[in-house]
Amino acid sequence: KVLWTLLVSILGCASSLPVGDDSICTAEELAKYSIIFTGKWSQTAFPKQYPLYRPPAQWSSLLGVTHSPDYSMWKKNEYASNGVRDFAEKGEAWVLMKEIEEAGEKIQSVHGIFSAPAISSGTGQTSTELEVHPRHPLVSFVVRIVPSPDWFVGIDSLNLCEGDHWVEEVSVDLFPYDAGTDSGFTFSSPNFATIPQDTVTEITCSSPSHPANSFYYPKLKILPPIAQVTMVKLKKSQLGLPAPFLNGQAKSNEIIDTVS
């Protein structure tokens, strides 16, 4: 009985130990990055049903967070939150902002919120700055594809820390995702809620496998990237005031999205 108790105690201690030093960030206290989002949604690269008017192809504002591993803004093959649904479908950020703030208050998973202005065409750039901390080294963000039923691009939990140092620069190609909350096949599909809600899935040249799908290119092996994001660590001499939140007025319904 004594041996069994001792064995259980040892196993319990072992299970609570960290898996490895690789998962622990021991970098300097704070790092700032410039984040540049580049839209590559051109008529040349994506000719099928390319939106030219009412509204033309464009990107919503970018909304992101730096956080710890116990927070997730969105995740492939999991259900989107109400906030991500509202942002992906309508570009409305209020519920998502509330979810982020509650995560920060309740479990202190979120370190900072950042945003960048919308892009009024399918191609172009927008940028801002973000701040990461050893306890919050992960970056997540979403950008809505406009127009679309519930499609977006983004990053889920990109780690900017490598052991005892911060990554100097990283670029990631971005591909479209379906939030799983609207069943439209095309950029201009009318609102048609998915009941029951589906999980977040990546849209590819063959999935959904339907000729009406705006991204259906059966002759391609892989879609070209529809966007790209680059994060560059700022040197101390480059550090300035934090970028302000976008606070603009929408010109018309679901076209120019705002974050405040």
Side-chain angles (χ1 to χ4, degrees):
K1 190 174 180 181
V2 173
L3 286 172
W4 175 251
T5 304
L6 183 62
L7 181 62
V8 169
S9 299
I10 292 170
L11 288 173
C13 291
S15 65
S16 65
L17 294 173
V19 176
D21 291 337
D22 291 343
S23 61
I24 301 171
C25 180
T26 58
E28 61 190 77
E29 187 68 11
L30 197 71
K32 283 192 175 183
Y33 284 82
S34 168
I35 177 169
I36 302 136
F37 176 87
T38 304
K40 295 187 172 185
W41 185 18
S42 68
Q43 191 172 11
T44 303
F46 299 91
K48 186 177 181 182
Q49 302 168 0
Y50 188 81
L52 295 172
Y53 57 91
R54 296 184 182 179
Q58 57 193 274
W59 300 96
S60 78
S61 53
L62 178 151
L63 180 60
V65 291
T66 58
H67 58 92
S68 58
D70 55 356
Y71 170 81
S72 176
M73 176 184 260
W74 66 275
K75 199 169 286 293
K76 183 179 177 181
N77 298 327
E78 293 189 6
Y79 293 105
S81 68
N82 290 336
V84 171
R85 178 200 64 203
D86 286 357
F87 193 86
E89 288 188 11
K90 298 173 282 190
E92 294 176 359
W94 310 116
V95 177
L96 182 54
M97 288 283 286
K98 187 177 179 182
E99 291 172 353
I100 293 169
E101 286 166 4
E102 286 177 351
E105 289 171 5
K106 290 178 181 175
I107 53 178
Q108 294 165 354
S109 292
V110 175
H111 176 68
I113 305 172
F114 57 91
S115 72
I119 303 173
S120 59
S121 61
T123 58
Q125 285 190 336
T126 188
S127 64
T128 187
E129 291 180 8
L130 61 89
E131 203 173 72
V132 283
H133 186 276
R135 292 193 303 274
H136 305 86
L138 308 180
V139 175
S140 296
F141 71 81
V142 287
V143 182
R144 180 176 183 248
I145 298 172
V146 185
S148 75
D150 60 342
W151 302 342
F152 69 96
V153 297
I155 276 182
D156 165 38
S157 304
L158 177 68
N159 195 346
L160 293 178
C161 184
E162 291 184 345
D164 62 352
H165 67 279
W166 297 104
V167 175
E168 289 295 325
E169 182 174 340
V170 60
S171 290
V172 180
D173 287 333
L174 303 176
F175 300 89
Y177 280 89
D178 186 319
T181 60
D182 191 295
S183 297
F185 267 134
T186 67
F187 296 119
S188 57
S189 291
N191 186 35
F192 185 61
T194 302
I195 301 173
Q197 181 177 334
D198 203 351
T199 57
V200 175
T201 55
E202 184 176 348
I203 300 171
T204 70
C205 56
S206 58
S207 179
S209 183
H210 194 290
N213 176 23
S214 292
F215 286 110
Y216 186 68
Y217 293 93
K219 293 183 180 179
L220 296 180
K221 289 185 178 179
I222 187 172
L223 284 177
I226 197 170
Q228 185 183 60
V229 66
T230 300
M231 282 168 265
V232 181
K233 186 173 178 287
L234 298 176
K235 295 181 173 63
K236 289 186 178 179
S237 60
Q238 293 176 288
L239 300 182
L241 294 173
F245 287 114
L246 175 66
N247 188 10
Q249 294 295 320
K251 293 181 181 177
S252 58
N253 185 36
E254 295 190 24
I255 298 179
I256 303 300
D257 303 293
T258 62
V259 176
S260 167

